[in-house]
Amino acid sequence: MTQPPPPPPQQPPQGGGFGPPQDQPPQDQPPQTPPPAAGPNLGKAPEPGYGYPQAPQAPQTPPPAAPQTPPTPPQGYGYPQGTPAPQPPQAPQGAPGYGYPGQQPGAYGQPQQAPYGQPGFGQPGYGQQPGYGYPQQPTMPYQPQAGQPGGGKKLNAQMLIIVAAVVAIALIIGGGVWYASSGKDEGKQNDTAGQSGGTGGTDDDNGGTTSGKEKAPSDPSAKVLFQVPAPEVKNDSTVVVSGSWLTDKAYVKSGIARIVGYDRDKGSELWKLPLSGPVCQASRHVTDDNLTAVLYQPAMPTKADPSHGCSQIALIDLDAGKRLWTKTVKTGDQLINFDNITLSGKTVAVGSTSGGAAFDVSGKLLWSPKPADSCYDAGYGGGDKLVAVRKCGSYDQRQLHIQTIDPKSGKVISEYKMTEGIEYASIVSTNPLVVAADVGDSAGDGSGISDFFSIDSKTGKLRTRISAPGEQFAARCEGITRVEACNLLAVGNDRLYLPTEEHDGTGKYSQTNEIVAFDLATGKQTGQRADAGDGYTISPLRMDGGNLIAYKRPPYDKGGQVVSISGTGFKETTLLQNPATDAVRDVETSMSPEYSEFLYAEGHLFMSKVYASKRSTVREKEYLAVGFGTS
């Protein structure tokens, strides 16, 4: 059936349209006796009540749902070119990440080290020249969604590097929407408010929390507030549109070489900030006065120059819609291209295989790479504290130093040295400090996680290690170049909240999952479990004080939900319920917490894509972002 076109942006709907427009620590410490790895025992039957996924049954044909498997992308202009470089050898098996090997770290700072397989450009192991607007990976890790009916096999971790660009195309699969079914300021949203996973909640150093701000409305029924049309992309290109933020007044989203602020209820443009080139990476953190930071290219890519590198560091005022400053860092006469960016307090920090740098929000340079260093800061985790992932040694003898540092001076406050051979690590939370790693490439599913490490940020000592087998748990971290890119998980109440992989539900075609909690002091499961409900899959979004905010992806005949889960009794409260109409659900399910950016605050849910590409058909309606809200 041919659907009528949507109304133009900023116009009211016509005939039932889809809503309105749119100092260094002591060294050579003696090794500690490692605590036992916690988590489910794969050699035993699952323990009841812990959310252990059941073995999937043979696949059956379910009712139609939004596509999750990306199509093979066109290899045209703008797609990453070149033959992939040979992959580096796997890290040694059996390295649990405990103890303090006696290697002395270099002085704080970074060397000018070229990345593996890609001299002078900050993407180790990719071996490709970046394509049009595509120099970096997106803000979220992008692997095919696990747990489809029948329990399809997930990608091997080594394949992640090769297929990252291919999988990204899944993000731009959209559904035509033409009908909006409708139903029926507490505090500043800063730091990780509304982000789809990320660095921590509001814990203090003793694991205490504050009560949540999000309150259930009298009627959680939501309607479509507005949609932002997908930007036009030419020449079969794929362009990064990473970055979204939610303030008390505006929903802010990156477009192609621009950042736009929208009224969060009406969708009308409040301001538009043009950039010289596409955004590469965006900080998920925001200061108390709504400042954030982005990395972007100095010019628009062309066929002759498919990427100009991510050398531009900018501080953005999300209230005024202004770029307060733009900075670059050089090694000799060459600009450094950075892989990741974060913000902690009043410090903007960027990392790469060439080293790390930081600026005060005033624009003052705080530190930059030191050519004489034998180690380098690959990246940083921000938020309440600033944590560096510092790499030392060659690839096959790599050692990662997890350093909590003073964001004003760069002085090391504490340090934990991971066992030699672990190549990548991700900062899940800085307060409390939680690190994820795929030890010995044992996850086997492309998630980047086999174990979590709970670390005392004051002393640098390991508190506990949590085993999280990839076949059981669904959290993901990219970790290769973007050390803060974790999603489908949350940290709060001195606990780690993880979703299980999907498994068969009670219905004929249904799949479902749960969220379970791990104690960050003992590494053991607490026994708390939040069930998604038959046909739904549940994913942590963020902490709200002591409560957990989670999103429930709907089955084929219902709308999605946002729920608040009490940190004590795990009582679930519905905050938002989306419409169940086919048209609205098609758009909602075209964006998932795995592949998109999700923000929720004060009755507003925003979903947005991190890639844009040429539309597959001229009649297919695609959206950059869509907003839902309660009355």
Side-chain angles (χ1 to χ4, degrees), residues 129-152:
Q129 291 300 317
Y132 176 75
Y134 188 55
Q136 308 290 327
Q137 293 301 303
T139 49
M140 294 298 170
Y142 300 107
Q143 293 84 21
Q145 183 170 350
Q148 297 299 316

Side-chain angles (χ1 to χ4, degrees), residues 401-467:
H401 299 191
I402 309 301
Q403 299 178 330
T404 298
I405 60 181
D406 184 328
K408 296 181 179 179
S409 66
K411 177 182 177 181
V412 176
I413 297 171
S414 68
E415 178 180 69
Y416 171 71
K417 297 179 182 178
M418 302 190 78
T419 294
E420 186 177 292
I422 300 175
E423 178 66 22
Y424 305 113
S426 299
I427 305 299
V428 176
S429 169
T430 62
N431 184 30
L433 179 52
V434 179
V435 174
D438 187 356
V439 180
D441 194 28
S442 59
D445 64 346
S447 67
I449 305 170
S450 67
D451 298 85
F452 292 92
F453 300 82
S454 174
I455 303 168
D456 189 320
S457 62
K458 291 183 176 180
T459 65
K461 294 182 178 180
L462 183 70
R463 300 175 68 196
T464 191
R465 172 180 174 227
I466 299 170
S467 175

